[in-house]
Amino acid sequence: MMAGRWRAAGVLALFWVCMVFAGCGRQEPVRQTVLVMDTVATLTATGPEAEAAVSEGVTRLRELEAMASPAGADSDLVKLAAAAGNGQWVKLHSEVYHMLAVSQAYSERSGGAWDVTAGPLVELWGIGTERARVPSAAEIAAARAKVGWQKLELLPQTQSARLMEAGMCLDLGGIAKGYALDEVRRIYAQHGIKDGLINLGASSLYAVGRNDKGQPWRIGIRDPRAEDKDTRLAVVPLGDAALSTSGDYERYFEQDGVRYHHIIDPRTGAPAQNAAMSATIVVAGSCADAGMLSDLLTTTVFVLGPEQGQAFLEDLPDEVQGMLCDKQYKLWAAHDFLDGLQDLQINR
Ligand code: AMP
Ligand code: MG
C-alpha cells in the first residue's frame, strides 16, 4: 500500500518535472513587421530556426515586390508593358510566369471576371489614389479595348509572355500577395517551422500549425460596414491553410450614392456593382498554390456576385471553402464554410 503511494508520488513528481521542462522548452515566437508590397506584413514563427525563417521570408517578399510591381527596373510588368503590341516575347521570372499561368486558367474558368490584364482600367479609375474619379463612358470604352486575358499570350517552353496590343498592361494586385504567402510558407517549411503566421496585411494570411496557446490561429473577418476596422463579422479558426478576404471597403470613394471600389469587373469596365460587400476564401495547405488561389478567388467571387460566385466556389474542390457577404449581410457559403465559423455577429 505504502509502496504504491510512493510510486504514485514519484510518477506525479516526474510528470511535473517534465511539464516544467516542456514549459522552458517552449520558445517565444519570433515576429517581424515590415512595409512591403503596399501592405504592413507581419511574419511570426516559432522554432529553433524561426529567426532565419522570418528574415529569409522578409527578403523574399522584397524580391517578389521588385519583380511584380508596376514600376521599377527589375519588374517584369514594366518590360511587358513596354513591349506591348510589338509582337516580341518577354522572358519572365519563373515566379511571375507561374502567377500568370494560374491566372489565365482562372480567367477562362470565370469567363473573364478574373483578369490580370485589367491594368488599364485599374489605372483609369485610380481608386485609392488622389486622382480617383468616375471616368466618361468613352474613356472606359478606350481602356476596355486594351483589356482581355485572351490578348495575353504565354510561352511555357521559355517562360515568356507578350501582350498583343499597344497600351496593354498587367496588374498583379489581386494575386501577388497570395503567391508571396506560398513562397514564405515554403521558406518556413525548409526551416522546419511547425507553428507560425504569415500575415500580409490581414486580407491575405497563411497559418502554419497552431498559435502560442497551442490552439488553431483565430482569424477575424472584418465587418464590411463597421466604422472600426477591428469589428468582426466572424472568426475563422485556421491551421495549415490560407485565408484571403476582398471587400469594397478597402479602397473606395462614394459619388451620388454609389460606392466605387478597387475590384473591377473587366466585363463592364467599372468597379463591380452587385450585392457583394466582401468575399472570404480559405484554401487548405494541401492544395498547391493555396495562398495564390485564396487571393485570386476572393476577387473573382466578388466580381461574380452572390449567386454566380457561390456556384463558382461549389464547383471547385472541397479544399476550397468560402463565402460572400452581401449588402443584407446574407452569407453565401460553399463547402460547409459556415460550420467552421465562430463568434458570428449576425443572424443567418
Ligand atoms: P483584392 O483586394 O485581393 O481583391 O485585389 C484587388 C486588386 O486586384 C485591385 O487593387 C487590382 O489591383 C486588382 N484587380 C481588380 N479587379 C481585378 C480583376 N477583376 N481581376 C484581376 N485583378 C483585379
Ligand atoms: Mg485577392
Side-chain angles (χ1 to χ4, degrees):
M1 187 68 185
M2 227 21 207
R5 213 174 275 166
W6 279 113
R7 202 175 303 123
V11 168
L12 197 64
L14 191 64
F15 172 77
W16 282 116
V17 168
C18 290
M19 288 301 282
V20 168
F21 270 103
C24 292
R26 174 170 286 172
Q27 284 130 337
E28 284 297 307
V30 172
R31 187 168 289 128
Q32 194 178 341
T33 298
V34 290
L35 193 60
V36 67
M37 302 179 104
D38 267 342
T39 195
V40 181
T42 301
L43 303 190
T44 308
T46 312
E49 294 183 33
E51 291 278 357
V54 167
S55 112
E56 280 174 38
V58 168
T59 304
R60 190 75 184 122
L61 291 176
R62 296 210 190 287
E63 286 168 0
L64 292 171
E65 176 178 49
M67 64 180 86
S69 81
D74 198 33
S75 166
D76 286 352
L77 300 201
V78 173
K79 292 176 195 162
L80 273 167
N86 74 9
Q88 278 168 9
W89 293 97
V90 176
K91 173 102 182 76
L92 303 176
H93 290 92
S94 60
E95 295 87 341
V96 175
Y97 185 85
H98 185 55
M99 277 185 244
L100 296 187
V102 173
S103 174
Q104 290 292 76
Y106 282 90
S107 291
E108 183 165 17
R109 195 166 181 155
S110 67
W114 167 262
D115 190 342
V116 284
T117 72
L121 288 167
V122 174
E123 178 63 25
L124 176 65
W125 284 87
I127 310 283
T129 70
E130 280 175 7
R131 55 189 171 74
R133 65 184 173 94
V134 180
S136 69
E139 287 174 306
I140 293 175
R144 275 190 67 205
K146 294 183 234 149
V147 173
W149 60 275
Q150 293 97 335
K151 292 185 279 189
L152 161 63
E153 293 190 352
L154 300 182
L155 199 60
Q157 296 87 337
T158 55
Q159 304 226 312
S160 304
R162 62 181 176 185
L163 295 168
M164 299 311 287
E165 261 171 63
M168 286 183 76
C169 63
L170 300 185
D171 183 312
L172 299 181
I175 185 173
K177 275 189 266 174
Y179 180 82
L181 289 178
D182 295 326
E183 285 290 284
V184 177
R185 170 195 171 202
R186 266 190 277 283
I187 291 169
Y188 274 28
Q190 282 156 12
H191 286 285
I193 303 300
K194 296 202 172 52
D195 300 306
L197 189 68
I198 305 160
N199 180 341
L200 302 186
S203 63
S204 293
L205 307 108
Y206 191 94
V208 182
R210 311 235 145 187
N211 65 17
D212 47 10
K213 297 185 189 78
Q215 306 285 328
W217 295 91
R218 283 171 56 81
I219 311 299
I221 302 176
R222 186 171 154 180
D223 179 329
R225 289 293 177 269
E227 292 282 307
D228 172 10
K229 67 181 176 51
D230 292 328
T231 304
R232 293 159 165 183
L233 195 64
V235 169
V236 185
L238 203 69
D240 297 310
L243 178 149
S244 292
T245 300
S246 290
D248 65 0
Y249 50 82
E250 288 173 46
R251 275 174 277 151
Y252 71 94
F253 67 91
E254 273 173 339
Q255 190 174 307
D256 302 328
V258 180
R259 179 180 286 238
Y260 296 99
H261 54 78
H262 73 305
I263 304 169
I264 304 283
D265 186 340
R267 303 163 305 179
T268 63
Q273 298 297 335
N274 60 52
M277 287 199 294
S278 75
T280 298
I281 309 277
V282 169
V283 182
S286 54
C287 284
D289 303 316
M292 182 162 50
L293 290 182
S294 69
D295 194 4
L296 79 87
L297 287 173
T298 51
T299 314
T300 310
V301 166
F302 191 107
V303 173
L304 289 173
E307 288 90 356
Q308 283 184 38
Q310 186 182 44
F312 186 81
L313 278 180
E314 295 282 9
D315 269 353
L316 294 171
D318 287 350
E319 288 83 3
V320 179
Q321 296 183 308
M323 67 171 189
L324 179 147
C325 175
D326 77 13
K327 290 183 171 117
Q328 266 71 50
Y329 283 89
K330 180 174 172 192
L331 304 181
W332 300 72
H335 298 151
D336 303 326
F337 184 69
L338 298 185
D339 295 349
L341 287 185
Q342 294 175 354
D343 303 348
L344 199 59
Q345 297 302 320
I346 49 174
N347 299 319
R348 50 165 161 126

